Amino acid sequence: MKTWYEAIESAQNVERIEEIRIAIFGKKGELAEAFAAMKNAPDDQKASIAKELNEHKNALGVLLSERKAVLQLQELEAAMKAEAIDVTLYGPTPLRGALHPVMETMDRIVDYFVSMNFSVQTGPMVEDDFHNFEALNLPKHHPARDMQDTFYFNDQMLLRTHTSPVQIRTMLQSKPPIRMIAPGSVFRRDYDITHTPMFHQVEGLLVDKEGAVSFANLKFILEDFLKYMFGDVNVRFRPSFFPFTEPSAEVDISCIFCGGEGCRVCSKTGWLEVLGCGIVDPNVFEAVGYKDVSGYAFGLGVERFAMLIHRVGDLRSLFEGDLRLLEQMR
Ligand code: PHE
C-alpha cells in the first residue's frame, strides 16, 4: 500500500492517475484484495487491519483527486498554449473586385461629355448593313468598307464595326438639335498587339441648325476633352478621311511618354493619334431625312485611351483577365 503514495506523487499525467486509481480501487484492485484477505487473519487483528486499510483508502483517495486536479490543470494550460490563436496576426487580405481599366476609362470619357450636356445613347451590336454602312455614306463596294474588316452573319446582318450606326439610329428616332454620345463594344477581324476582335468606342454627334455648328466648335470641345483626359498635352488636328464626315481629321496629342521629343511609342514623331472626327457629311443627313442642319461627329477607341493612361504595351493583355496585371492598374 505504502508505495502508492510515491507513485501518485510522481504521476506525470491524468492517464497515469487513472491507471493507479484502478490498481488500488478497482474491483480486482489492491484494496479489494486486502479486504478479502482479511477473512484469513486472526479475529483479534481484523479490526486493526480494517482500520489501517480504511485510513489508506481515505488518504489515497484524497491524494489521487488532488494530484489529478493538478495534472488536469497542467494539461489544460499546455493545450491552450499549443492551440493559442494570435488575434493580432494579419490574415490573408480578401480579394476585392474593381472596375476593369477599360470600363474605368470609359466612365471617365462618358463623365466628361455628360458634364457637357451630351445624352448617352445605345444601339444593337448586331447591326444591319444600312445602319453600319449605307446610311453612313458607305455604299456597297465602296473601297472604304475595306478599312473595317467586318464579321458578317449574312448579306444584311453583321457585328457593328464602329459605334457610328448609333448616330443614324438616334437621328432617325429624334429631331434636331442632338447632342449625344454612344459608348459600346465594336467588332473587327483583327488581332495583334494593337487590335483585338472586340473593343470599345465612344461616338459623339452634335447636330443643330444650318450654319450653327462649325469646325471651331468641334476643335474646342475635343481639345478641352483631351486635356481633361491626359492633362497638359498639345493637340493637333491632321486632315484625314472618313466617308461620313467632310472635312475629316484625325486628332493627335503630344506624346505623353516623351513629351513630344520622339520615342519608341510615338515612332519618333512626338505625336499619338487618339481619335477621328469631322463635320457630318451632307449625305448622312440626307440618309436620315434631316434638312437645313449642320453637325460634327467624332469617334474614339477606349482601349487606346486606357493603354495610354495605364501605359500598357500590348492591348491583348487588357483582355487576358490576369489579376496581377489588372491590379497594377488600380
Ligand atoms: N467610326 C470611325 C471609326 O471607327 C470613327 C469616327 C467617328 C470618325 C465619327 C469620324 C466621325 O474609325
Side-chain angles (χ1 to χ4, degrees):
M1 251 335 122
K2 294 220 172 68
T3 58
W4 288 121
Y5 291 90
E6 217 200 286
I8 294 168
E9 293 290 1
S10 60
Q12 288 306 313
N13 52 53
V14 175
E15 206 181 321
R16 176 74 189 128
I17 290 291
E18 188 58 13
E19 279 169 23
I20 295 173
R21 191 190 62 76
I22 291 166
I24 302 171
F25 292 94
K27 257 197 217 144
K28 292 178 183 156
E30 217 173 296
L31 269 175
E33 268 171 24
F35 276 114
M38 223 170 55
K39 64 175 185 283
N40 303 321
D43 279 349
D44 60 344
Q45 288 176 23
K46 278 186 180 155
S48 66
I49 292 172
K51 186 172 174 255
E52 198 189 332
L53 285 177
N54 277 323
E55 277 166 9
H56 280 309
K57 184 178 169 183
N58 290 336
L60 286 168
V62 170
L63 197 60
L64 268 173
S65 60
E66 280 174 359
R67 184 70 189 146
K68 185 174 175 181
V70 169
L71 289 172
Q72 266 176 339
L73 198 66
Q74 276 177 11
E75 283 177 17
L76 185 67
E77 271 170 9
M80 291 212 296
K81 223 178 238 170
E83 293 163 21
I85 294 169
D86 183 352
V87 292
T88 66
L89 279 180
Y90 287 110
T93 327
L95 286 178
R96 250 198 296 152
L99 278 182
H100 190 280
V102 172
M103 288 302 122
E104 197 182 66
T105 306
M106 178 111 104
D107 284 354
R108 205 170 138 71
I109 296 169
V110 170
D111 279 352
Y112 174 85
F113 288 103
V114 167
S115 82
M116 288 297 194
N117 251 332
F118 283 68
S119 70
V120 178
Q121 305 292 335
T122 54
M125 295 176 203
V126 176
E127 260 300 0
D128 53 41
D129 190 271
F130 172 77
H131 293 90
N132 195 81
F133 290 129
E134 200 82 32
L136 288 162
N137 197 28
L138 268 149
K140 275 220 158 52
H141 311 300
H142 191 288
R145 282 200 186 196
D146 294 345
M147 285 162 65
Q148 316 199 332
D149 286 310
T150 313
F151 287 110
Y152 280 99
F153 293 102
N154 54 42
D155 258 12
Q156 283 307 307
M157 303 305 289
L158 46 90
L159 288 175
R160 69 178 179 196
T161 56
H162 49 183
T163 41
S164 303
V166 187
Q167 289 187 30
I168 303 300
R169 289 185 178 273
T170 307
M171 285 192 280
L172 288 172
Q173 276 160 25
S174 42
K175 286 196 172 75
I178 286 176
R179 234 174 212 266
M180 57 144 269
I181 53 165
S185 334
V186 302
F187 307 85
R188 290 184 199 175
R189 296 170 41 167
D190 243 343
Y191 190 64
D192 59 39
I193 66 166
T194 51
H195 298 90
T196 48
M198 188 280 305
F199 61 103
H200 299 85
Q201 287 189 334
V202 176
E203 188 83 12
L205 173 70
L206 183 141
V207 183
D208 211 324
K209 287 193 285 281
E210 172 116 66
V213 184
S214 71
F215 206 95
N217 300 144
L218 174 63
K219 204 162 174 252
F220 168 80
I221 195 161
L222 290 182
E223 266 177 23
D224 191 55
F225 163 66
L226 291 171
K227 290 195 164 146
Y228 169 82
M229 291 304 288
F230 295 106
D232 192 18
V233 287
N234 293 324
V235 178
R236 131 179 131 170
F237 285 69
R238 201 166 22 79
S240 185
F241 171 79
F242 298 102
F244 26 91
T245 47
E246 182 60 35
S248 304
E250 278 174 325
V251 183
D252 302 338
I253 55 169
S254 51
C255 180
I256 55 174
F257 297 96
C258 63
E261 291 194 353
C263 66
R264 202 174 48 84
V265 185
C266 60
S267 314
K268 308 258 183 254
T269 63
W271 296 97
L272 298 165
E273 183 198 322
V274 288
L275 52 81
C277 65
I279 296 296
V280 179
D281 192 291
N283 289 346
V284 175
F285 287 139
E286 201 185 309
V288 296
Y290 275 22
K291 282 196 182 78
D292 308 322
V293 291
S294 58
Y296 65 63
F298 57 86
L300 62 89
V302 181
E303 279 76 4
R304 172 111 179 112
F305 277 61
M307 282 174 80
L308 292 175
I309 288 167
H310 295 291
R311 311 195 168 211
V312 181
D314 185 338
L315 171 59
R316 294 170 295 193
S317 62
L318 286 175
F319 296 112
E320 278 163 3
D322 187 335
L323 282 179
R324 291 168 306 178
L325 186 120
L326 296 175
E327 270 165 5
Q328 283 175 29
M329 299 183 209
R330 289 271 178 86

